[in-house]
Amino acid sequence: MIGRIMTTKHFSRGVALQLVPLIGCACLLFLASSSSAHAQAPVSEQEIVVTGEEVPSAYGAPPGFSRSRFSNAVNAYVLPPWAFFFGELFEGQGFRHGPPDYLFTQEVEMGLPYRFNVAAEAGFERFNGGGGAQTVSLEARWALADWNKIPLNPTLFAEYKFGVGTIRHEEVPPPPGGGEEEESGPPKLPDAYEVRLLLAQDFFERVEWAMNWFFEKENTGDRGREWGFSQAAMMPVLLPNERLKVGIEMLYRNVTTKDTRGDAVNSFVIGPTVAWKPTPQTRLDISPLFGCTHDSPVADVFVAFSWLFGGERAEAEAPVSTRFRYYSGAGLADSRSGKDSEKEMKQVAPPPCPEWYGDNEWNVNLWGTYAFTNTEYNPNLWLVDVVQSTSEGHPVLGTYDHYIGGDHAWGGGGDIKYFFYRYFGVGFQGFALDASKNGFNIFEDPTVPIFTTEKINHDHTIGALLGTFTLRYPIPCTRFAPYAWAGVGAIFGGGERDILTTQGPPDAFAVHAQTHHFGSETKLLGQIGAGLEFRIARHIGWTNDLAFGVIDGPKNNFGMFRSGLNFAF
C-alpha cells in the first residue's frame, strides 16, 4: 500500500472526522462479538452428504469464508486444503487534485493442510501516462483453530513485498527541500513487510462479517509506515446457494514517513459492496467507496473477479451452520417421513480422480511476456555534462540497464519440453523482446572549431535460446501443477554501447571528443523461474510464471512475467 498513492494534505482536525472510522469499527465489532457466543453453541453432529453447488468448506467455515477474499478490501480465514484461489483486482482512485491512479493486482493462493495458506501476488500501476510492474509479494496465513472453535476465528497473515518498479505516486507529500531526489529520477519502490490479524464471524444465520487489522513498514527509502483496518458485513439477497450478496465495506489507513511521524495522512472510505456468483466457482465483487476525510480520495472503486479451483476431494468438513447444508433428495424424504433427524447418513464414495498430467508427455508452450530490468532507467541526457564529466575522468552517464537498455520490454516466446516422468522434464526455450536504448553521438574539435551533439535511439530485438530442466508437481485430484525450472543458454541482440573519448583539458568546450559505437553482443544467460499451470482440458493448459535472468556482466539482470497456453501430447 505504501508508495502507491498520494493525497493532497488539507487536514481537518475536527473531532467528528477523527471519530468516523472508529465509530464504524466499534459498531460492527460489537455485533460480531455479541454473536460469537451464539455461534459457539454446540450443534448435534450427524454425518451428512453435502450436495449443494457451494465451494468446499474450509474446516467447517461457511462458503463465503472459504475462498480467501471475503470482499474487495477484506480477507478472511483460509482456503480448504489443496484448493486454489485466482483473483484479478482493479482499484481506481479519484483525487480532489491531480490525475487518477489505477492499480491492478493478480494473486494466486493455495490452501494447505493444518489451516495454512501460501500465496503469490503481482502488483501493477498506471498513473499520469506511465505505468508498469510495482511489486511482487509472497504471503502466508494460518488460522488458529477450526471454524467456531475460537470466537471471531482469528487468522494470522504475513506478507513480504519486493519492490520492482519506481514510486509513481507518493502517498505522503515530500518534505521541503526534497527536490534533489526528483532531479535524480523517480526513486525505486522499496521492499516492505506487512502483518495482519484477520477476524471473521457469521451471526443470526444470515449476516457475515470480517475485519482486518494491518501494519506495514518499508525497509528503506522514506521508511513509510501504515496501519489501519478494513471491514465488511454482507448478507444474501437471493437464494438458493446465495448467488447474490450485498453489504457495506470500509477502509481506514494512517500513513506516515520518517519526516512526518507526527503529521499523518488519514484516509477513510466507506460505501456499498456487491458480490455476484455467475457460477459456483467464480465471483465478481464491486465496491464503490467514498472518502470521508480531506486526506481521502474522492472515490475509491474496487472491482475483483475471482475463481476457486480444487479442494473438491479434500478432507474438509461440512459447514458448521445448517444454513449451508444441502441434503440429498433421499435425506429430505427421510426427514419428511418423520424418521430420526439424527440418523447417520452414509457418504457417497467419490469416483476416481481424472489424470490431467501424464508420464512421457510432450509440452509445447507459447507465451507472451513483460520484461523488467533490475536497474533504474535514468540516463544523463545533458550531453554537455557527459563531455565535461568524461574530460574530468569520471563519466556521468546516468543509470540504465547495460544490455536491454530501457526499464522494460514486451515480447513473446515458447518452449518445448519432454516429461519422461510427470514430475520432471527437459527441453529448450526461446524468446524475443522488442527493446530500445537511448544513446548519443558527440564530436568536438576546438581547433576548427566544431562541437556537435546528437541523441540517438537503438531500437533492437533481443533474442535468447536456453536448455531447461523443469520440476513439476501435479496436485492430486486437481487441474493444477506448480512448477519450477532452471536454464542456461545465450542471449543476443543487445548490449550496444556508446563510448566517449576525450583528449585535452578538463573543459567541455576545449577538448577533443569523439563517440565510438559498439554493436550488439552475445552473452551467457542463466535463468530460474517458477509458476503454476491450470489444465483447461487434458491437452490444453494455461500457464503463468515469473522468471529471473542473469546475464554475464554488471547491471544486466532482468525479470519476466509470462502468461500463455501449453499444449500437451
Side-chain angles (χ1 to χ4, degrees), residues 31-33 35-40 62 65 70 76 147-148 150-153 199-203 207-211:
L31 288 174
S33 301
S35 65
S36 62
H38 174 74
Q40 305 300 314
F65 297 106
F70 177 73
W147 186 258
N148 269 352
I150 301 178
L152 303 184
N153 303 288
L199 305 175
Q201 190 69 62
D202 62 325
F203 45 95
V207 180
E208 297 176 342
W209 167 88
M211 184 177 194

Side-chain angles (χ1 to χ4, degrees), residues 6-29:
M6 176 183 75
T7 52
T8 306
K9 290 174 64 68
H10 300 284
F11 284 100
S12 174
R13 300 301 183 184
V15 176
L17 286 179
Q18 294 182 357
L19 292 179
V20 168
L22 297 180
I23 291 173
C25 170
C27 290
L28 287 182
L29 186 59

Side-chain angles (χ1 to χ4, degrees), residues 63 91 172 342 347 429:
E91 180 182 0
V172 179
E342 302 297 324
Q347 197 151 10
Q429 175 195 136

Side-chain angles (χ1 to χ4, degrees), residues 42-55:
V43 295
S44 51
E45 297 184 359
Q46 55 181 322
E47 189 175 352
I48 62 173
V49 179
V50 180
T51 60
E53 290 186 288
E54 289 292 353
V55 300

Side-chain angles (χ1 to χ4, degrees), residues 398-423:
T399 58
Y400 52 88
D401 183 85
H402 286 185
Y403 199 85
I404 293 178
D407 60 352
H408 72 280
W410 295 92
D415 54 77
I416 300 176
K417 296 186 290 286
Y418 177 70
F419 287 89
F420 43 88
Y421 191 50
R422 70 183 63 191
Y423 299 112

Side-chain angles (χ1 to χ4, degrees), residues 127-376:
F127 176 72
N128 198 24
Q134 290 293 96
T135 59
V136 176
S137 306
L138 298 179
E139 305 172 1
R141 72 174 79 175
W142 176 62
L144 273 61
D146 288 357
W147 186 258
N148 269 352
K149 300 298 183 182
I150 301 178
L152 303 184
N153 303 288
T155 301
L156 304 180
F157 177 102
E159 177 182 14
Y160 193 88
K161 301 179 180 180
F162 299 90
V164 297
T166 58
I167 298 177
R168 292 181 168 86
H169 196 192
E170 290 276 9
E171 283 185 295
V172 179
E180 294 182 2
E181 182 180 40
E182 295 181 0
E183 290 178 3
S184 62
K188 186 179 184 298
L189 193 68
D191 293 355
Y193 65 85
E194 181 179 357
V195 292
R196 301 183 205 172
L197 174 63
L198 315 183
L199 305 175
Q201 190 69 62
D202 62 325
F203 45 95
F204 309 132
E205 294 236 339
R206 190 71 177 171
V207 180
E208 297 176 342
W209 167 88
M211 184 177 194
N212 297 170
W213 287 92
F214 56 84
F215 174 81
E216 183 176 342
K217 177 71 167 58
E218 291 179 345
N219 296 338
T220 57
D222 59 12
R223 299 191 177 276
R225 291 180 189 169
E226 177 178 347
W227 69 270
F229 68 84
S230 60
Q231 65 175 338
M234 304 181 71
M235 63 182 298
V237 295
L238 287 180
L239 293 176
N241 298 343
E242 307 189 353
R243 292 298 178 88
L244 181 64
K245 294 181 182 179
V246 297
I248 187 171
E249 187 166 6
M250 63 186 69
L251 171 64
Y252 171 74
R253 300 166 60 239
N254 178 290
V255 184
T256 62
T257 66
K258 62 183 180 182
D259 300 308
T260 63
R261 294 297 185 216
D263 192 16
V265 169
N266 292 280
S267 172
F268 180 68
V269 292
I270 186 171
T273 184
V274 178
W276 173 55
K277 295 176 62 178
T279 69
Q281 287 77 31
T282 60
R283 195 172 82 178
L284 178 67
D285 292 81
I286 302 176
S287 303
L289 309 183
F290 303 95
C292 298
T293 67
H294 286 296
D295 297 327
S296 307
V298 175
D300 197 355
V301 180
F302 295 85
V303 179
F305 179 77
S306 58
W307 201 352
L308 188 67
F309 307 97
E312 294 89 346
R313 305 182 187 277
E315 296 180 359
E317 303 174 17
V320 171
S321 173
T322 57
R323 160 178 153 224
F324 302 102
R325 293 179 176 178
Y326 307 104
Y327 291 90
S328 64
L332 289 173
D334 288 345
S335 63
R336 290 171 182 166
S337 63
K339 292 187 179 181
D340 185 5
S341 61
E342 302 297 324
K343 176 181 177 181
E344 179 181 346
M345 301 177 68
K346 300 297 183 182
Q347 197 151 10
V348 179
C353 298
E355 294 288 345
W356 297 101
Y357 301 85
D359 302 331
N360 302 316
E361 183 180 82
W362 285 94
N363 283 195
V364 178
N365 193 6
L366 302 176
W367 35 265
T369 183
Y370 172 83
F372 55 93
T373 61
N374 197 37
T375 303
E376 185 55 51

Side-chain angles (χ1 to χ4, degrees), residues 1 3-7 90-95 97-104 124-131 134 167-171 297 299-301:
M1 295 181 183
R4 302 179 310 172
I5 55 177
M6 176 183 75
T7 52
F90 164 80
E91 180 182 0
Q93 297 175 324
F95 304 104
H97 306 281
D101 196 10
Y102 303 109
L103 306 168
F104 304 87
F124 304 85
E125 183 177 18
R126 180 73 177 176
F127 176 72
N128 198 24
Q134 290 293 96
I167 298 177
R168 292 181 168 86
H169 196 192
E170 290 276 9
E171 283 185 295
D300 197 355
V301 180

